[in-house]
Amino acid sequence: MIEWFTWLQLAIAVAGGLLCVVLGLVGRKPTDLTMGATALVELLLIVQLAAAIAAPLAGNTATGSLLEFYTYLVSALALPVAAGFWALVERSRWSTVILGVTCLSVAVMLYRMNQIWNVQGS
């Protein structure tokens, strides 16, 4: 996988997560900004999925378990969608915090997926 894209994803997920957590803790309900940050994380995950499908075709294979990689990827894809739906229904400051925690959780998953793809030996 492309290393700089992974680090870009991590930076956006962490920044979006911290933004949402801080806004939630100061009492802000979900806004276009917090929903947009979570949507951007989801969009980058969709690009990651396309890259993960195309990379083996280009000869770039994972060094670790593909089952573990795709399990993390599917989980990471599901989290922002679920948090977004809940934030739209709940519309409380705590749903903004949940959006932030979701983005931070996705950042951890992205880091682990990078380790599986690039670092971990088979």
Side-chain angles (χ1 to χ4, degrees), residues 79-97:
L79 275 177
V81 174
F85 279 126
W86 187 56
L88 289 174
V89 171
E90 177 77 21
R91 302 296 293 176
S92 72
R93 66 181 248 178
W94 294 113
S95 55
T96 305
V97 173

Side-chain angles (χ1 to χ4, degrees), residues 34-50:
T34 56
M35 293 298 287
T38 308
L40 181 59
V41 169
E42 180 70 16
L43 177 65
L44 291 174
L45 283 168
I46 292 169
V47 172
Q48 176 82 17
L49 175 63

Side-chain angles (χ1 to χ4, degrees), residues 1 16 22 27 37 45 69-70 83 89 107 116 118-119:
M1 299 302 256
V22 168
L45 283 168
F69 177 84
Y70 282 108
V89 171
I116 293 168
N118 294 317
V119 179

